[in-house]
Amino acid sequence: VANSLRRTMIAEVPTMAIDLVEFIENTSVLADEFIAHRLGMIPLLSHDVDKFKYTRDCICTDYCKDCSVEFRLHVKCTEEGTRTVTSHELISSNKSVVPVTEGEDDPGIILLKLRKGQEINIHCIAKKGVAKEHAKWSPCCSVAFEYDPHNNLRHLDYWYEKSIEEEWPLSANAAEEEKADPDAPFDYKAEPTTFYFNVETVGSIKPQNVVIMATRILQEKLGTLLLALEDDQNPDNTAAAADDGDWY
């Protein structure tokens, strides 16, 4: 269950990310595909991601404000030297979906560099998605969990030269539990009941919101599975519904 929650946080919590890129002008030294890949990996603020629809669920033919956000980037170097183009210069059509920053002093993510006379002019479409479709939609850069920090269950066999305590320092989670008495009888049937998660995001969604959203998604998936199992265990109900014309 703990690993299911971890995998859900990584791969099934939706975010916004640039998915379509139209190049109007590109005279830089980088190929279109290279720049498009960089644009897709820019983390976008996704606190309001639930307000957007998936493209597959939207009634529009291509894209609209209900399922996407438009970005514009138009920069031309007119001076001597090198002009650095960053994510700060992406202009969004929605103020709630913009590139992630770490404050006013954040220099932004470097996209490319231009020399005098070079120009980049592109139109981007950001869409809602999940990381099991592409890693650019993952809200997390790292999710790890730990259980039994004192190794009371003896699931770990430490390799050491002189001292386990000196060569294998305890994590901060050890303060939440007590070390088992070495003279007490070992309970070989004991199982872990507490898991400590460390969730690090790319900034698009707060870590606590990622945990809440992943828990809700996992509950919905388990609920769907439960309903399917109930239907499988009660085939008479399904057959009766089909006879009444209420099930297809």
Side-chain angles (χ1 to χ4, degrees):
V1 172
N3 196 44
S4 296
L5 180 60
R6 170 184 168 274
R7 293 174 67 90
T8 303
M9 285 190 280
I10 293 174
E12 298 197 45
V13 172
T15 64
M16 301 295 291
I18 292 176
D19 190 47
L20 299 176
V21 181
E22 176 188 4
F23 285 85
I24 302 169
E25 184 76 24
N26 178 23
T27 55
S28 70
V29 298
L30 298 182
D32 293 355
E33 295 82 1
F34 194 93
I35 299 174
H37 180 266
R38 282 189 168 187
L39 289 167
M41 298 304 292
I42 294 175
L44 305 177
L45 286 179
S46 303
H47 303 309
D48 296 331
V49 67
D50 290 337
K51 296 181 181 179
F52 293 91
K53 299 179 181 179
Y54 288 103
T55 303
R56 58 180 176 272
D57 298 330
C58 194
I59 60 175
C60 65
T61 56
D62 194 4
Y63 58 86
C64 66
K65 64 179 181 179
D66 294 329
C67 66
S68 61
V69 176
E70 295 185 62
F71 286 87
R72 297 280 181 177
L73 176 64
H74 188 190
V75 179
K76 184 175 182 179
C77 182
T78 58
E79 301 177 355
E80 297 293 339
T82 302
R83 172 78 155 81
T84 301
V85 182
T86 70
S87 56
H88 286 322
E89 294 171 278
L90 279 168
I91 301 175
S92 173
S93 63
N94 189 322
K95 294 182 180 179
S96 66
V97 181
V98 295
V100 172
T101 59
E102 295 183 355
E104 297 179 356
D105 298 331
D106 190 329
I109 299 172
I110 297 177
L111 299 176
L112 68 156
K113 295 183 178 181
L114 302 175
R115 298 289 288 181
K116 185 176 181 180
Q118 295 180 340
E119 180 181 5
I120 183 74
N121 185 6
I122 56 179
H123 174 228
C124 309
I125 302 298
K127 295 186 177 183
K128 180 180 179 179
V130 294
K132 65 181 181 181
E133 299 176 23
H134 194 285
K136 65 186 177 184
W137 277 298
S138 179
C140 303
C141 53
S142 173
V143 180
F145 67 83
E146 178 190 25
Y147 68 91
D148 189 23
H150 291 287
N151 196 27
N152 293 329
L153 302 177
R154 303 182 188 177
H155 288 178
L156 295 178
D157 185 13
Y158 295 112
W159 184 92
Y160 64 97
E161 295 182 356
K162 295 181 180 180
S163 171
I164 294 179
E165 288 73 16
E166 294 180 1
E167 298 175 30
W168 292 91
L170 295 175
S171 68
N173 299 322
E176 303 293 331
E177 298 183 12
E178 294 183 2
K179 184 174 178 59
D181 185 355
D183 298 328
F186 177 63
D187 183 7
Y188 63 89
K189 293 184 179 180
E191 295 183 358
T193 57
T194 304
F195 295 81
Y196 305 95
F197 279 84
N198 181 23
V199 181
E200 183 180 354
T201 70
V202 297
S204 57
I205 304 178
K206 294 181 179 179
Q208 55 267 38
N209 292 341
V210 170
V211 176
I212 293 171
M213 294 171 69
T215 304
R216 184 176 71 241
I217 292 169
L218 194 57
Q219 287 176 329
E220 292 173 355
K221 293 168 73 71
L222 291 172
T224 302
L225 177 61
L226 181 61
L227 291 175
L229 290 174
E230 289 178 350
D231 291 340
D232 187 61
Q233 293 174 357
N234 299 283
D236 295 338
N237 294 340
T238 303
D243 292 339
D244 295 338
D246 296 331
W247 181 86
Y248 300 93

